[in-house]
Amino acid sequence: MSDRVNSSDFPTIGVPASSLGVVLQRGGEELILEKVLDRFTVRLATDFPPQQLSQVSWGIWQRSIPQARLELFTVAPNQLDMAMSQARAAQNIAFASHVYKIKDNPGTFVYLNDQITIQFTSAADTDSINAIATTFGLAQEKPILGLPNAFVFLISKQAVENPIKITNQLQRFTEVLAAEPNILVQSETHYKPSDSLYPQQWYLNHNGGKQLVVGSHISVEKAWDITRGLRSVIVAVVDDSFDLNHPDFQGNGKIVAPRDLKENDFLPLPDEQETSHGTACAGIALAEENGTGIVGVAPGCALMPIRSTGFLDDESIENIFNWAIEKGASVISCSWGASAVYFPLSLRQRAAITRAATKGRNGKGCVILFAAGNANRPVSGTVNERNWPKNILEGNTSWLSGFTVHPDVMAIAASTSLSKKAAYSNWGTNISVCAPSNNAPPGISFQETGFVYTQPAIATSLSGLGVFTTDQLGAAGYDPSNFTDNFGGTSSATPVVAGVAALILSANSDLTAQQVKRILQETADKIVDPDPDPQLGLREGTYDGNGHCQWFGYGKVNAVKAVQAAQQQLASASNASRQVQGVNDNQIAIPDNHQQGVKSAIAISEAGSVRDIQVTINLNHDFLGDLEIYLIAPNNQQVLLQSRTLGRRTSLQTTYTVRSHPALKQLLSLPAKGSWQLWVIDYVPQDVGKLNTWKLTLGI
């Protein structure tokens, strides 16, 4: 492909010219791509029946990817270049594109569509934006909600380079803060069935029995004495499909705003041969109390079933969360993640989630839950991998689940009926709480290899009961009956917590999303697992000084304690009666590429509860896009004030308020007295800077 813009036209900053086609900019990180040698995609200029696609001479048609209007073809590796040339020359082909893999992410295929995201500096005017767009053959499509001066652009027919090369070249313009292609990566549902059979919902309440220990349930019956849920509280369950004909989803006002993003209609029903993961998840959270079948955690609440496209491109994620916001979702339950070892979120995906968490529910925010995953790996961290089949993974491997580490998301882990860590449950500092589920060997699904068990293999038997929930009617689904008793994984734990969150909001609708999160964490049961992990030998089943556990988060969710706490907060918080202020103007260097960062403290001596909060920061850095900035309260609770989205800016002088930065709401009602800290972390080498001064203003 010829170069429309010569790389020598740009300053020598950003991605080197030799790497323009293999570096993927994503959420402030750079991922290395590798071309897949046996497949490529095309976009049709005109409608082309599938039978004709199967007859072309330049490849074997595999399937359509409708949300990106792509057709996938495979070829022999030595024929890839010739096949793509023939496809590009065909009259009815708009363009042909390579398929990529992310390095060290086996079987994770990356598809390109015709969208890119560009965030400009505040100084960039309309003329300069239009000039840059014209240079690369881009057409502005729409602004991005929640990201200042950011837009989605379409790659027009005049563009002669692929989205990866274009976005990397855009990084060299001083007017551009960030540029990302919109990639498609297939989603993976967090589910691993268990062989255990137990036709009762022990995870809600039990009085002991075989493979059941005291307190391994969520104590929901006492919560039901207070509320069984209100129809005004809507839980959006996002998944593969839903059998809405199931008796446990019937009832006046039970189903609200169903959406099928895969088929682009309003009937998110399973395909004829599809195992409906969403039906099982929805039943756990919301199955109606009707005298037959099962009962969900919040049977009185409404269900918003959203069928996803099956891919995690920017457009699909935006459509999910925008629909949930617009149609009034209170809670959003997501039992899925990327089919990838390392998957940071894009700017647009981060913004879509933040918008739902801060703008949903008329500004109170949607409670957003994501399953932690079932590989028994950190949601963010490194593991020395060995003994995988065909050495799929080997050596020090970085793991990252971008959805679960988003600051506005609650990441949900899984415990067992014996109050132990589920062998598969992912773990780490980002886990919020856990909920009861089954027990099974850990594994992960890759697009290329399918499901594989993570290694080393577990030699011991795994005890624990499976989760009983709704299944497709008839022979389809997991079980020939209308229910299944072999459901599990963090997929199952997540809708349990979603149901408890719905009960909390049924008891007190005035709560913000951050207040619900705090209630769930503060009322959780501190279950302890002193035994080593049977696969990796780790011992992380106890709690640190902040009350957090790598395996269980802040503990196992407790429905009755959570609902009682919501009731106690019914009285609206009083307005702040006075302000206290502290300043730290000791200039301090920010360590380069140092994940421990630097902390600066302000001591508040006045007593009282925080009713309002403002943080004013003045710092300089050669590349602010390297930095994350947190505020740490005296109880060590952290709030992310600034993510790595500032790009090439060099000066930060701003004030973060509860109104401008709703994440600060989670610190309201905490004691004001104590040491407050500003924590600045530089994640990338070379550029350096200094924290000049910062000020904390509290209303108490």
Side-chain angles (χ1 to χ4, degrees), residues 136-329:
F136 290 95
L138 306 177
Q140 186 172 320
E141 184 185 31
K142 60 183 179 181
I144 299 173
L145 297 174
L147 282 180
N149 223 20
F151 307 90
V152 177
F153 287 84
L154 297 178
I155 298 174
S156 69
K157 292 183 178 180
Q158 285 70 44
V160 293
E161 291 185 329
N162 74 31
I164 296 172
K165 290 185 177 179
I166 290 175
T167 51
N168 284 329
Q169 292 184 40
L170 284 165
Q171 299 276 4
R172 297 173 171 178
F173 285 84
T174 56
E175 298 92 339
V176 174
L177 287 176
E180 298 178 344
N182 179 12
I183 63 169
L184 290 94
V185 173
Q186 196 163 333
S187 60
E188 179 205 10
T189 52
H190 287 151
Y191 167 72
K192 179 65 179 75
S194 165
D195 293 335
S196 301
L197 300 176
Y198 192 71
Q200 296 182 30
Q201 294 172 273
W202 60 268
Y203 52 94
L204 298 181
N205 256 98
H206 68 74
N207 295 313
K210 186 178 181 181
Q211 295 200 67
L212 288 168
V213 301
V214 175
S216 62
H217 54 87
I218 66 168
S219 301
V220 78
E221 289 181 1
K222 292 181 180 178
W224 285 342
D225 290 340
I226 301 170
T227 179
R228 297 188 184 183
L230 303 176
R231 283 289 198 261
S232 58
V233 176
I234 303 168
V235 179
V237 179
V238 185
D239 221 294
D240 58 357
S241 63
F242 305 85
D243 190 343
L244 299 183
N245 296 312
H246 198 290
D248 273 326
F249 298 142
Q250 307 307 308
N252 185 29
K254 186 66 176 181
I255 306 298
V256 174
R259 186 73 170 100
D260 188 332
L261 296 173
K262 186 173 185 179
E263 301 294 339
N264 195 25
D265 60 28
F266 305 98
L267 286 174
L269 301 173
D271 296 333
E272 187 174 338
Q273 301 298 321
E274 185 176 17
T275 302
S276 183
H277 187 266
T279 299
C281 290
I284 291 171
L286 296 159
E288 187 79 346
E289 186 181 10
N290 55 13
T292 62
I294 68 166
V295 178
V297 177
C301 293
L303 165 65
M304 181 189 293
I306 302 176
R307 188 188 192 194
S308 66
T309 63
F311 285 87
L312 302 181
D313 57 294
D314 294 352
E315 200 86 4
S316 294
I317 297 302
E318 284 179 336
N319 289 339
I320 287 169
F321 288 96
N322 288 345
W323 181 265
I325 295 170
E326 292 165 9
K327 301 303 179 182

Side-chain angles (χ1 to χ4, degrees), residues 35-55:
K35 290 180 180 177
V36 179
L37 300 180
D38 66 346
R39 63 196 64 205
F40 65 99
T41 58
V42 302
R43 176 172 293 123
L44 306 176
T46 59
D47 289 337
F48 211 43
Q51 58 267 30
Q52 288 185 253
L53 288 171
S54 300
Q55 295 170 4

Side-chain angles (χ1 to χ4, degrees), residues 234-430:
I234 303 168
V235 179
V237 179
V238 185
D239 221 294
D240 58 357
S241 63
F242 305 85
D243 190 343
L244 299 183
N245 296 312
H246 198 290
D248 273 326
F249 298 142
Q250 307 307 308
N252 185 29
K254 186 66 176 181
I255 306 298
V256 174
R259 186 73 170 100
D260 188 332
L261 296 173
K262 186 173 185 179
E263 301 294 339
N264 195 25
D265 60 28
F266 305 98
L267 286 174
L269 301 173
D271 296 333
E272 187 174 338
Q273 301 298 321
E274 185 176 17
T275 302
S276 183
H277 187 266
T279 299
C281 290
I284 291 171
L286 296 159
E288 187 79 346
E289 186 181 10
N290 55 13
T292 62
I294 68 166
V295 178
V297 177
C301 293
L303 165 65
M304 181 189 293
I306 302 176
R307 188 188 192 194
S308 66
T309 63
F311 285 87
L312 302 181
D313 57 294
D314 294 352
E315 200 86 4
S316 294
I317 297 302
E318 284 179 336
N319 289 339
I320 287 169
F321 288 96
N322 288 345
W323 181 265
I325 295 170
E326 292 165 9
K327 301 303 179 182
S330 306
V331 180
I332 305 174
S333 180
C334 305
S335 290
W336 43 267
S339 178
V341 172
Y342 196 90
F343 187 80
L345 299 187
S346 70
L347 292 173
R348 287 172 67 184
Q349 290 171 348
R350 286 183 181 179
I353 293 173
T354 296
R355 182 168 173 262
T358 57
K359 306 300 184 185
R361 293 177 57 235
N362 297 316
K364 294 185 177 71
C366 301
V367 181
I368 303 174
L369 313 168
F370 269 87
N374 301 326
N376 190 31
R377 291 301 186 269
V379 294
S380 177
T382 302
V383 172
N384 186 14
E385 302 293 357
R386 61 193 187 279
N387 300 326
W388 284 64
K390 300 180 181 179
N391 291 325
I392 297 172
L393 294 178
E394 189 174 18
N396 286 334
T397 302
S398 295
W399 291 79
L400 176 67
S401 171
F403 293 105
T404 58
V405 300
H406 190 291
D408 294 316
V409 162
M410 294 189 70
I412 310 303
S415 57
T416 71
S417 62
L418 302 173
S419 285
K420 312 281 281 184
K421 175 187 180 291
Y424 52 76
S425 186
N426 285 358
W427 41 270
T429 57
N430 296 94

Side-chain angles (χ1 to χ4, degrees), residues 589-636:
I590 302 168
D592 185 33
N593 190 30
H594 192 274
Q595 295 196 16
Q596 298 303 312
V598 64
K599 294 177 180 177
S600 176
I602 290 176
I604 300 295
S605 57
E606 288 85 348
S609 297
V610 176
R611 302 300 180 189
D612 190 27
I613 187 166
Q614 296 181 29
V615 183
T616 301
I617 298 174
N618 181 324
L619 64 78
N620 298 100
H621 194 274
D622 295 338
F623 193 87
L624 286 174
D626 292 352
L627 302 183
E628 284 186 357
I629 305 173
Y630 296 83
L631 178 67
I632 305 177
N635 70 343
N636 288 316

